[in-house]
């Protein structure tokens, strides 16, 4: 099995090779899949990441949640791998932060991990067991054990892998959502 660093490079190349029309179509499908899911509909407080580049688009999902009266939080990353879920009332409150990724301000209300119902977890891709290949920062690896929130991973169908490398601290998401809907995830850890 390739090392994670080499695998990240390989997946990034696959992502860059995807046709623009597929990116657009899969973004629309992922939006429909997520917003139609019962867990999303029932969630009162969610954490969602700000997508960048060719990641599955999240901002329309966040807007939909805000318009539905949900508490919407985005991660604010701090030194030492610490991450907080910070509430926003509008996407206009997000400003470039760590690695230039928009995040809430330092004044934004921190929502305790125990208060979140749903977390949409970023990754380069997922496998059929719900394990992810993240970006290597470890923020979510440290955050997820602190919450009982339902976790959803967003992935493009063409990038799903049979099995990704795993380490003892890795936690599978409860559901992987693609443009075709929710994938059955074998592992429920």
């Amino acid at each position: 099995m390739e090392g994670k660093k080499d695998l990240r490079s390989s997946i990034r190349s696959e992502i860059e090779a995807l046709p623009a029309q597929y990116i657009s179509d899969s973004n629309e499908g992922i939006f429909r899949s997520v917003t139609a899911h019962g867990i999303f509909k029932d969630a009162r407080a969610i954490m969602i990441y700000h997508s960048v580049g060719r990641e599955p688009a999240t901002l329309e999902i966040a807007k939909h949640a805000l318009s539905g009266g949900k508490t919407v939080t985005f991660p604010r990353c701090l030194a030492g791998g610490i991450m907080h879920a910070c509430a926003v009332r509008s996407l206009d409150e997000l400003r470039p932060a760590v690695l230039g990724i928009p995040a809430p301000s330092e004044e934004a209300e921190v929502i305790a991990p125990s208060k979140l119902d749903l977390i949409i977890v970023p990754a380069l891709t997922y496998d059929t067991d719900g394990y992810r290949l993240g970006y290597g920062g470890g923020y979510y690896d440290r955050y997820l054990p602190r919450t009982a929130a339902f976790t959803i991973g967003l992935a493009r169908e063409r990038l799903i892998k049979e099995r990704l490398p795993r380490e003892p601290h890795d936690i599978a998401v409860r559901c992987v959502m693609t443009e075709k809907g929710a994938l059955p995830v074998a592992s429920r850890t």
Side-chain angles (χ1 to χ4, degrees):
M1 206 175 326
E2 298 174 71
K4 283 190 176 182
K5 185 176 179 181
D6 291 340
L7 188 54
R8 283 186 186 99
S9 178
S10 173
I11 299 293
R12 282 187 174 103
S13 295
E14 283 185 60
I15 292 168
E16 287 308 310
L18 293 171
Q21 189 61 53
Y22 173 70
I23 296 288
S24 177
D25 292 346
S26 63
N27 281 340
E28 289 177 27
I30 289 168
F31 171 83
R32 284 192 304 273
S33 295
V34 171
T35 58
H37 197 283
I39 294 290
F40 178 84
K41 288 180 176 182
D42 293 343
R44 295 174 316 281
I46 71 168
M47 181 163 80
I48 190 166
Y49 62 95
H50 189 297
S51 56
V52 294
R54 298 186 121 210
E55 286 181 318
T58 59
L59 296 185
E60 289 304 314
I61 297 168
K63 286 179 193 174
H64 186 80
L66 284 166
S67 71
K70 298 181 187 305
T71 298
V72 176
T73 71
F74 285 83
R76 189 173 75 233
C77 299
L78 307 172
I82 303 298
M83 183 172 78
H84 295 297
C86 297
V88 298
R89 290 176 300 284
S90 162
L91 299 183
D92 295 337
E93 295 175 29
L94 301 172
R95 298 286 178 262
V98 175
L99 301 175
I101 300 169
S105 73
E106 291 180 15
E107 292 78 36
E109 177 187 4
V110 174
I111 304 298
S114 62
K115 300 293 185 192
L116 296 171
D117 300 308
L118 172 64
I119 299 175
I120 297 179
V121 183
L124 284 164
T125 195
Y126 286 87
D127 69 17
T128 56
D129 291 331
Y131 287 91
R132 68 191 191 99
L133 180 65
Y135 293 92
Y139 288 98
Y140 283 83
D141 294 330
R142 290 179 194 91
Y143 191 86
L144 293 178
R146 300 171 48 214
T147 180
F150 191 91
T151 51
I152 292 178
L154 306 183
R156 301 190 198 286
E157 189 84 21
R158 294 183 188 178
L159 296 172
I160 298 291
K161 303 301 178 196
E162 187 65 34
R163 183 175 171 92
L164 290 168
R166 301 173 188 172
E167 296 176 35
H169 65 267
D170 290 336
I171 298 173
V173 294
R174 302 270 306 277
C175 173
V176 175
M177 197 71 69
T178 75
E179 65 270 23
K180 294 182 180 178
L183 291 180
V185 174
S187 177
R188 296 288 182 202
T189 51

